Amino acid sequence: MNLFHDLVDDAGLFPPTALPMDEALSRHRADLERRSPVLTHRFLCPASRLPVLRVHLEETPLPLRLGLILDTEEPPRLDGLEVELVEVPGARFETSAGRVELPDGQLPLETAGPAVRRFVEVTPAQLPVHLPDGVGLKVRCGGREPEDFPSAHDLGAFIAHCVRSGTPFKATAGLHHAVRHFDPALGTDRHGFVNLVLAVCAAVEGRDPVPVLKLTDVGELVRQARAVPDDAARRARELLVSYGSCNTATPIEDLLALDLIEPESGTGTGTRPAKENA
C-alpha cells in the first residue's frame, strides 16, 4: 500500500494561490497530462463559481472530476458535471453554543446523487458530531492568521476521534510542505502533510498521533514513513481521504526531496524492503 497515492486535491482556486479560473484549469490540464499518482486529479471548486467554470468548459472542454465546496444557500445546478465529493461548512449547522448538530436525513445537495461522498467541516473543539451514514468530516489545518492553525494536541484529538469512530476525513489549508516547520511570517508552526499522514498511521496502530504531528526531525520522519506496515497504511488512507492544496507542484517536489516517491514515475514508496529499513 502506498501512503502518498491519491493524496492531494487541486485547490488552485483558493488562497493563498487563488488562481483565476482560466489559469487554474490550465494548470489542472497540465497536471492531468503529467499523471502524478500523488495527485487525486480532482478539482476543488466553490459552488458559487460553477457558472464561471461552465463558461470555461464550454470554450475549452476538459474532463473534470469535481470536489464541490458548498458556499451557496441554494443547491447549484450539477447537470453535465462529474461531482465526486461535496464539502459542507459546519457553520450551516452550528448552534448558539458553538456545537455542530446535523439534522436528520440527507445533507444539502441531494441532487448530487447517492454515490457522491459528503464531508462536513468542523473544528476539533466541535467534536463529537453525530453524522448521517456515509458522511465524513473535514478539518482545517491552517489559514491566514496564527489562530487558524490547530495545535498538535487539537489536531491529534481530531485524528483520534476519526480513528475511533471509523469516520473518513479530509484536510485543508496550511499544509504547504511535507514536514512541520515554523513560519516566521505568521509566528506559528505549520503542520506538515507527511506528519499528518503518519499521525493517522500511528492512531490506527493504537499510538498517540500527537508526537508524530510535532515531529520536525526530517530523517526520523522519513524513517517512519518507510517503516509503516501495509495494513496500517491501508487503514490510514481509508480514513484520510485527501487534503486540498492550492499548489500541486510543491507536494510532489517535497516527496521527491525526501526520497519518498520515485523520480522516474512520480510514484510513492510508502514502505521499503526490510533491509532498507534497518
Side-chain angles (χ1 to χ4, degrees):
M1 170 66 198
N2 194 293
L3 279 174
F4 305 111
H5 279 184
D6 298 321
L7 180 63
V8 182
D9 290 329
D10 185 345
L13 293 176
F14 294 85
T17 300
L19 296 173
M21 184 65 74
D22 58 341
E23 293 182 24
L25 290 173
S26 177
R27 190 187 74 178
H28 192 74
R29 184 186 298 275
D31 285 340
L32 288 173
E33 292 172 353
R34 295 188 185 100
R35 301 177 63 183
S36 169
V38 172
L39 306 180
T40 65
H41 301 290
R42 187 161 45 222
F43 188 77
L44 301 184
C45 183
S48 59
R49 299 188 69 178
L50 284 184
V52 176
L53 174 65
R54 288 183 183 276
V55 170
H56 283 275
L57 292 180
E58 288 174 2
E59 296 174 351
T60 308
L62 178 67
L64 278 186
R65 298 162 50 209
L66 285 176
L68 185 67
I69 287 73
L70 194 59
D71 65 340
T72 56
E73 289 299 324
E74 295 297 322
R77 183 170 59 90
L78 299 179
D79 53 294
L81 298 174
E82 182 182 350
V83 179
E84 290 192 357
L85 57 86
V86 174
E87 302 177 14
V88 183
R92 284 174 175 256
F93 313 107
E94 190 171 333
T95 69
S96 57
R99 301 288 304 221
V100 171
E101 295 182 3
L102 301 181
D104 292 333
Q106 293 293 316
L107 288 174
L109 214 66
E110 291 88 343
T111 54
V116 175
R117 303 186 71 176
R118 293 168 172 82
F119 298 85
V120 176
E121 181 178 332
V122 299
T123 66
Q126 291 172 319
L127 296 175
V129 176
H130 174 72
L131 296 170
D133 291 343
V135 175
L137 292 173
K138 175 183 173 183
V139 66
R140 192 165 295 273
C141 297
R144 298 182 179 182
E145 303 296 333
E147 55 268 24
D148 295 330
F149 291 78
S151 69
H153 288 281
D154 287 345
L155 186 55
F158 176 91
I159 291 170
H161 168 83
C162 290
V163 170
R164 285 194 306 268
S165 60
T167 303
F169 72 95
K170 292 185 81 272
T172 190
L175 298 166
H176 292 179
H177 286 285
V179 181
R180 181 182 179 87
H181 62 283
F182 181 74
D183 184 339
L186 282 173
T188 191
D189 289 313
R190 285 186 175 272
H191 296 289
F193 68 81
V194 169
N195 295 76
L196 177 68
V197 173
L198 294 181
V200 182
C201 293
V204 300
E205 291 187 294
R207 294 183 284 116
D208 184 357
V210 174
V212 185
L213 289 170
K214 289 182 173 182
L215 191 60
T216 58
D217 184 325
V218 175
E220 176 60 18
L221 204 64
V222 170
R223 187 197 69 76
Q224 289 191 22
R226 293 176 176 171
V228 175
D230 281 351
D231 182 60
R234 176 187 58 78
R235 289 186 291 147
R237 288 306 315 278
E238 286 174 352
L239 292 170
L240 174 56
V241 175
S242 60
Y243 79 92
S245 176
C246 61
N247 186 318
T248 54
T250 298
I252 299 170
E253 293 167 356
D254 280 10
L255 290 170
L256 284 169
L258 295 175
D259 195 27
L260 290 175
I261 58 174
E262 300 292 340
E264 295 83 8
S265 62
T267 58
T269 55
T271 58
R272 291 288 183 92
K275 65 180 181 180
E276 296 187 22
N277 290 335

